[in-house]
Amino acid sequence: MARRIALVNNKGGVGKSTTTVRLAEALAKAGTRVLVIDMDPQGNASRRLGWAYDTENPQNTISEAIQADRPGSVADAVQPIGWDVEYASRMALVPARLELENRMSEAGVVGAWRRLAKGLEGADAHFDYTLIDCPPSLFHLTQLALAAADSVVIVTEPEYDSAEAAGRVRDFVAQRAIELANPDLELVGVIINGVQNLASHTDQLAGIRQTFDGLVWDPVVRHRSLIVDADGDEVPLTEIRGEKAGEVRATYELLAQNLVKAVPTR
Ligand SMILES: Nc1ncnc2c1ncn2[C@@H]1O[C@H](COP(=O)(O)OP(=O)(O)O)[C@@H](O)[C@H]1O
Ligand SMILES: [Mg+2]
């Protein structure tokens, strides 16, 4: 059974989707089988993995899988990613689109928060890791992810509001895991993204390391325009060129090693 990891922060724009996609890529390159679940109605991770909704032949997305409220329902929404690289064969996607917003209205329905956990039963058995890209809120869609996950990884920028939001995630996991019927849910790592040579970043980095005592993974991810380009062009990092391309690839490979160490495959 796959180890399920939710990538979370209670703030948008900190790099959750980028990190999900690039960790998945690095894990697949290293030989592991990775399923990415897009739990954000914005669908950014889906697009960056080269997926597009086909109005002529509509694919199932995570929204239909959750709506189905049936054990294993997610299997019907698993599909290939759109990249043309060898290791893409070890990656798969459960995409999202705006339609996922409609699942929000089910938040008050009895047991609705368990629907992703239920839908994943058996559906990710043939993957080593399931990475769940969460929306910036801690409300229903993220709670679905937290109820289904084994572990949480926080992604944060070294900035005040992002760090505070990261703290809210840690507290939420600590206080609500039992209520989500997932008492073993554990925060296993903090990835710091978008680091620049700024005094404020140096200060915030030190603060985050202190707050999350030992949970911060190294290396931190530097702010690199190559990352924006790769995300924008929907391409894997193996296809990016430029002075910093090697550094960017190596960063995610090392972070993927952190993940494997923190959450070994079963
Ligand atoms: N390390 C980085 N350096 C430069 N740009 C980045 C970096 N990480 C992410 N980005 C860009 O920042 C924007 C927000 O990232 P995204 O992953 O969408 O954040 P979130 O999912 O947390 O909302 C995107 O345009 C993305 O390409
Ligand atoms: Mg996102």
Side-chain angles (χ1 to χ4, degrees):
M1 200 170 106
R3 306 302 303 260
R4 300 181 190 144
I5 297 149
L7 289 101
V8 191
N9 198 340
N10 188 203
K11 187 172 185 309
V14 296
K16 296 179 295 298
S17 302
T18 298
T19 307
T20 304
V21 167
R22 301 309 164 192
L23 275 181
E25 176 178 10
L27 286 165
K29 260 165 69 182
T32 46
R33 298 159 302 172
V34 191
L35 177 65
V36 172
I37 298 189
D38 194 345
M39 280 300 288
D40 191 333
Q42 295 176 70
N44 298 148
S46 303
R47 185 196 58 76
R48 293 175 198 178
L49 286 164
W51 181 85
Y53 189 62
D54 182 349
T55 46
E56 309 259 301
N57 295 296
Q59 308 97 314
N60 269 339
T61 67
I62 191 63
S63 177
E64 289 79 38
I66 290 167
Q67 191 175 28
D69 190 21
R70 168 172 55 78
S73 62
V74 172
D76 295 339
V78 174
Q79 47 213 283
I81 68 162
W83 294 348
D84 186 19
V85 283
E86 173 272 326
Y87 54 82
S89 63
R90 289 186 291 279
M91 302 172 74
L93 170 70
V94 179
R97 55 193 201 101
L98 191 58
E99 155 74 15
L100 178 58
E101 291 279 14
N102 292 325
R103 304 284 71 76
M104 289 292 288
S105 62
E106 293 161 2
V109 175
V110 176
W113 50 274
R114 276 219 22 101
R115 288 183 183 194
L116 181 61
K118 197 195 270 187
L120 273 169
E121 282 173 28
D124 60 351
H126 53 298
F127 292 94
D128 299 304
Y129 290 102
T130 297
L131 304 187
I132 311 175
D133 183 26
C134 291
S137 137
L138 289 174
F139 194 47
H140 185 56
L141 296 175
T142 297
Q143 291 176 21
L144 281 160
L146 294 179
D150 301 300
S151 313
V152 172
V153 170
I154 290 175
V155 181
T156 182
E157 289 180 321
E159 285 171 18
Y160 191 93
D161 289 334
S162 312
E164 279 222 322
R168 289 196 294 277
V169 174
R170 180 196 52 192
D171 295 348
F172 191 85
V173 170
Q175 291 162 11
R176 303 291 176 183
I178 291 173
E179 287 156 351
L180 291 169
N182 197 6
D184 297 333
L185 182 67
E186 192 188 3
L187 173 62
V188 294
V190 177
I191 292 174
I192 305 182
N193 183 47
V195 178
Q196 302 179 63
N197 294 326
L198 303 170
S200 64
H201 277 196
T202 307
D203 290 349
Q204 286 296 331
L205 254 169
I208 295 166
R209 284 190 191 279
Q210 198 172 16
T211 308
F212 289 94
D213 191 28
L215 282 177
V216 174
W217 290 353
D218 281 306
V220 300
V221 183
R222 306 281 311 173
H223 188 275
R224 297 290 182 226
S225 58
L226 284 176
I227 295 177
V228 186
D229 296 343
D231 284 344
D233 296 344
E234 309 169 12
V235 295
L237 289 182
T238 39
E239 286 180 14
I240 61 169
R241 300 285 171 265
E243 195 197 336
K244 300 292 181 190
E247 173 216 273
V248 170
R249 282 191 285 267
T251 297
Y252 288 106
E253 282 159 17
L254 290 166
L255 289 172
Q257 288 171 21
N258 277 274
L259 185 145
V260 172
K261 211 163 98 188
V263 191
T265 50
R266 283 194 243 258

